[in-house]
């Protein structure tokens, strides 16, 4: 027996944007969201569209001439399966109170190019209201990225203005195939590895155990305690290391002690990025603000921490403590890499910089308080779960039903080198997606976790299908109880 009432569908953001634009021409000027929604549904009777989604599109049209809007989700993977095709593994829970300190496993939404502020809050479902002035992350295309340095099986694609950029398959990929392998741009490993590095038991660059069976370790000439497994690793990191070396730049000691004591990985990673940029500049490798490393940094999705916290439940209760922590961290950071208060330390840092001065605009970007908070935001949104930042991997978008997994080798081989593996057959032109929440969680819990990282309400295909299946059903008692407990505890 045929169904006289076919199932309705939820349109994509791009289709809805086009439909709203067309509907506006059929209603009176100044008509509100309710009339435009009615016009859209009249034109598309097979659609199901909430009025708040239409309000979101109207705000985008009003405030952004480029029609660039928040992506449904856009993040690198934190999936760390050891075996391809074994199914998604649950992620380690994150302490919500530390989320402003750089604990998220990946990045937020991306714009297609330029720096377009995000100011929509329509992904909220009323349970954890987001302030109307909430900003969302912005990013740029990396014009210096050469994908074929890693693989010819992947292409960067700019989707519609609502989606942003991502990666698509350049050819068909079979299940279980390795699509590419990638070494990190920077690596801020877990604390047990960092502890081993500090006493020369692991390479300061690649983190391999020392001594290496192939060659004797190369100790730091300034006797800071770090060593490298070979000359290649030493040459790759020596310029950046100088700025965080206890012997060559003693002003960095308080900052590094603070990072370790607080286990603030985003701060550690940002310090390493800036040390890398300063090292290249001091060595004469290009002009400050130019080159592929600067392009990489500026292409990353970013959001200042002071805006980032506003998507967290009850964020006002910790706002003062957060600001005090950020100010203290910024002071140590500036004293370590820009203006030491100790005269002798200041002379050593100036020597490392070859007595050169950064251009004012670059100095502002790296060392102002606002620039510092944006830098921390970039790290906390883009660091992969093991503490590394990757040039190509950082383009991956999120789905609660991903088609690739990111595998890590054993710690005694190459701990920071990743392999991106197909979880199922992938057709040419299909987007590559990963997940950074536990895909075994319920729809409500997945969306809540994504929203708390600033992604808004996930609109991936799986979420929309589960949302449709839940219509008219009662909520999950366990999820409701967890919401009550979180509200009571203020997390």
């Amino acid at each position: 027996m045929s169904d006289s009432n076919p199932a309705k569908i939820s349109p994509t953001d791009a289709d809805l944007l086009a439909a709203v634009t067309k509907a506006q021409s059929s209603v009176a000027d100044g008509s509100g969201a309710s009339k435009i929604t009615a016009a859209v549904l009249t034109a598309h009777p097979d659609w199901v569209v909430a009025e708040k989604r239409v309000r979101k599109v109207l705000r985008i049209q009003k405030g952004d001439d480029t029609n660039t809007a928040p992506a449904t989700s856009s993040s690198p993977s934190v999936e760390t399966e050891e075996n391809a095709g074994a199914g998604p593994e649950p992620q380690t829970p994150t302490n919500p109170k530390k989320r402003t300190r750089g604990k998220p496993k990946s990045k937020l939404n991306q714009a297609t190019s330029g720096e377009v502020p995000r100011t929509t809050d329509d992904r909220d479902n009323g349970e954890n209201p987001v302030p109307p002035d909430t900003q969302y992350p912005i990013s740029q295309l990396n014009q210096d990225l050469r994908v074929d340095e890693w693989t010819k099986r992947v292409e960067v694609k700019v989707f519609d203005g609502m989606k942003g950029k991502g990666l698509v398959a350049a050819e068909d990929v079979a299940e279980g195939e390795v699509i590419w392998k990638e070494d990190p741009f920077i690596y801020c490993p877990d604390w047990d590895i960092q502890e081993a590095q500090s006493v020369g038991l692991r390479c300061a660059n690649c983190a391999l155990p020392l001594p290496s069976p192939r060659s004797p370790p190369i100790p730091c000439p300034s006797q800071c305690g770090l060593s490298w497994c070979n000359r290649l690793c030493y040459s790759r990191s020596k310029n950046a290391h100088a700025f965080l070396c206890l012997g060559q730049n003693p002003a960095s000691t308080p900052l590094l002690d603070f990072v370790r004591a607080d286990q603030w990985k985003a701060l550690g990673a940002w310090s390493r990025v800036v040390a890398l940029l300063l090292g290249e500049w001091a060595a004469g490798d290009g002009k400050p603000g130019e080159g592929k490393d600067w392009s990489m940094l500026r292409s990353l999705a970013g959001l200042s921490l002071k805006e980032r916290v506003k998507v967290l439940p009850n964020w006002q209760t910790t706002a003062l403590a957060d600001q005090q922590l950020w100010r203290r961290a910024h002071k140590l950071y500036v004293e370590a890499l820009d203006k030491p208060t100790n005269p002798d330390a200041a002379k050593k840092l100036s020597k490392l910089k070859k007595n050169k001065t950064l251009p004012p605009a670059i100095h502002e970007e790296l060392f102002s308080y606002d620039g510092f908070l944006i830098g921390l935001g970039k790290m906390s949104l883009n660091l992969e779960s093991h503490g590394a930042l990757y040039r190509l991997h950082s383009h991956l978008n999120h789905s609660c039903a991903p088609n690739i997994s990111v595998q890590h080798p054993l710690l005694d081989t190459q701990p920071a080198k990743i392999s991106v593996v197909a979880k199922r057959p992938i057709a040419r032109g299909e987007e590559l997606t990963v997940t950074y929440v536990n895909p075994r969680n319920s729809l409500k819990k997945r969306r809540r976790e994504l929203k708390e990282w600033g992604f808004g309400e996930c609109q991936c295909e799986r979420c929309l299908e589960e949302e449709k299946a839940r219509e008219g059903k009662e909520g999950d008692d366990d999820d409701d109880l967890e919401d009550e407990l979180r509200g009571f505890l203020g997390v």
Side-chain angles (χ1 to χ4, degrees):
M1 181 175 179
S2 64
D3 188 351
S4 59
N5 295 304
K8 292 182 180 295
I9 62 173
S10 178
T12 65
D13 286 341
D15 290 341
L16 180 58
L17 176 60
V20 167
T21 302
K22 185 175 182 179
Q24 285 174 307
S25 63
S26 64
V27 297
D29 291 341
S31 295
S34 60
K35 289 186 177 180
I36 295 175
T37 302
V40 168
L41 293 176
T42 299
H44 301 276
D46 59 330
W47 283 8
V48 55
V49 177
E51 185 177 317
K52 66 181 182 180
R53 282 192 72 192
V54 174
R55 289 201 304 271
K56 175 189 70 175
V57 172
L58 294 175
R59 276 202 290 272
I60 293 166
Q61 290 177 328
K62 182 178 179 180
D64 179 9
D65 292 338
T66 64
N67 288 329
T68 301
T72 15
S73 39
S74 182
S75 77
S77 163
V78 298
E79 191 171 334
T80 58
E81 299 173 359
E82 295 299 329
N83 299 302
E89 295 296 325
Q91 304 303 306
T92 302
T94 302
N95 182 350
K97 291 186 177 180
K98 288 192 174 184
R99 285 181 173 171
T100 58
R101 301 187 183 188
K103 296 294 182 179
K105 307 302 185 184
S106 49
K107 68 187 175 76
L108 300 185
N109 308 331
Q110 299 177 344
T112 54
S113 62
E115 295 194 353
V116 184
R118 310 305 185 97
T119 56
T120 177
D121 64 337
D122 268 335
R123 293 181 188 274
D124 172 59
N125 61 8
E127 295 168 0
N128 291 317
V130 178
D133 62 345
T134 299
Q135 293 186 15
Y136 289 82
I138 54 178
S139 70
Q140 300 179 26
L141 285 176
N142 184 351
Q143 302 294 347
D144 292 327
L145 184 72
R146 299 294 178 264
V147 178
D148 57 7
E149 292 182 10
W150 296 277
T151 179
K152 294 183 179 180
R153 310 188 73 183
V154 168
E155 297 173 343
V156 176
K157 178 179 178 179
V158 177
F159 297 93
D160 56 69
M162 304 286 283
K163 177 80 180 250
K165 64 185 180 184
L167 298 179
V168 298
E171 59 184 47
D172 292 344
V173 181
E175 180 179 350
E177 284 192 315
V178 176
I179 306 174
W180 83 87
K181 295 183 178 182
E182 186 173 359
D183 288 308
F185 171 64
I186 60 102
Y187 183 32
C188 185
D190 291 335
W191 306 108
D192 57 339
I193 295 180
Q194 290 196 39
E195 183 64 28
Q197 288 176 321
S198 69
V199 293
L201 296 179
R202 284 186 177 270
C203 176
N205 181 58
C206 70
L208 281 174
L210 296 176
S212 167
R214 299 179 181 178
S215 60
I218 301 174
C220 173
S222 299
Q223 300 180 339
C224 70
L226 272 64
S227 295
W228 290 264
C229 63
N230 55 48
R231 294 194 178 278
L232 179 60
C233 273
Y234 176 64
S235 65
R236 285 176 173 174
S237 62
K238 66 178 182 179
N239 290 335
H241 166 71
F243 286 87
L244 297 176
C245 174
L246 306 185
Q248 298 176 75
N249 183 23
S252 66
T253 302
L255 171 66
L256 298 178
D257 289 343
F258 178 74
V259 169
R260 282 192 292 267
D262 209 54
Q263 296 198 354
W264 194 347
K265 191 167 284 189
L267 178 57
W270 178 242
S271 301
R272 294 179 187 222
V273 168
V274 174
L276 172 65
L277 298 175
L278 292 176
E280 292 175 347
W281 166 62
D285 297 335
K287 297 180 180 179
E290 299 180 3
K292 66 178 183 178
D293 289 344
W294 278 95
S295 295
M296 157 68 177
L297 176 62
R298 288 168 173 159
S299 72
L300 297 173
L303 181 68
S304 173
L305 288 190
K306 61 185 178 183
E307 298 298 333
R308 154 77 182 88
V309 296
K310 293 180 181 179
V311 301
L312 297 174
N314 306 304
W315 64 273
Q316 297 95 333
T317 60
T318 61
L320 180 60
D322 287 338
Q323 292 170 17
Q324 291 173 341
L325 178 71
W326 301 338
R327 287 288 183 185
R328 182 185 176 195
H330 179 247
K331 180 176 182 293
L332 293 173
Y333 163 77
V334 169
E335 291 177 355
L337 297 173
D338 185 36
K339 297 178 181 178
T341 55
N342 180 283
D344 291 336
K347 289 181 181 179
K348 289 189 175 183
L349 180 58
S350 180
K351 182 179 179 181
L352 288 178
K353 295 179 179 179
K354 308 293 176 63
N355 297 315
K356 297 191 294 185
T357 302
L358 285 170
I362 301 300
H363 185 272
E364 178 79 6
E365 187 174 352
L366 294 181
F367 292 109
S368 69
Y369 182 61
D370 286 341
F372 174 69
L373 293 185
I374 292 174
L376 290 181
K378 284 179 178 285
M379 296 302 100
S380 61
L381 301 182
N382 289 278
L383 282 180
E384 201 270 341
S385 59
H386 285 53
L389 185 61
Y390 301 89
R391 296 178 191 270
L392 188 57
H393 170 278
S394 63
H395 287 68
L396 290 167
N397 289 333
H398 165 79
S399 171
C400 292
N403 56 13
I404 64 171
S405 65
V406 178
Q407 299 182 13
H408 295 77
L410 298 175
L411 287 178
D412 290 344
T413 53
Q414 295 173 295
K417 189 167 188 172
I418 57 172
S419 298
V420 177
V421 181
K423 293 170 64 68
R424 59 170 176 77
I426 301 173
R428 178 181 179 182
E430 183 178 351
E431 184 181 7
L432 306 183
T433 58
V434 290
T435 184
Y436 55 93
V437 296
N438 186 347
R440 294 174 179 166
N441 286 342
S442 67
L443 168 66
K444 185 175 181 180
K445 188 170 184 179
R446 294 196 314 271
R447 280 183 160 176
R448 182 181 64 222
E449 289 178 357
L450 292 168
K451 189 182 298 183
E452 288 178 0
W453 292 117
F455 287 83
E457 189 163 281
C458 184
Q459 299 291 313
C460 74
E461 184 177 354
R462 178 187 171 190
C463 285
L464 293 177
E465 289 178 353
E466 292 182 10
E467 180 182 46
K468 181 179 177 181
R470 285 186 58 193
E471 291 179 358
K473 297 181 180 180
E474 295 183 2
D476 190 311
D477 291 340
D478 290 338
D479 283 341
D480 292 341
L481 177 59
E482 183 174 348
D483 285 344
E484 291 182 16
L485 289 173
R486 288 163 60 84
F488 175 74
L489 295 173
V491 299

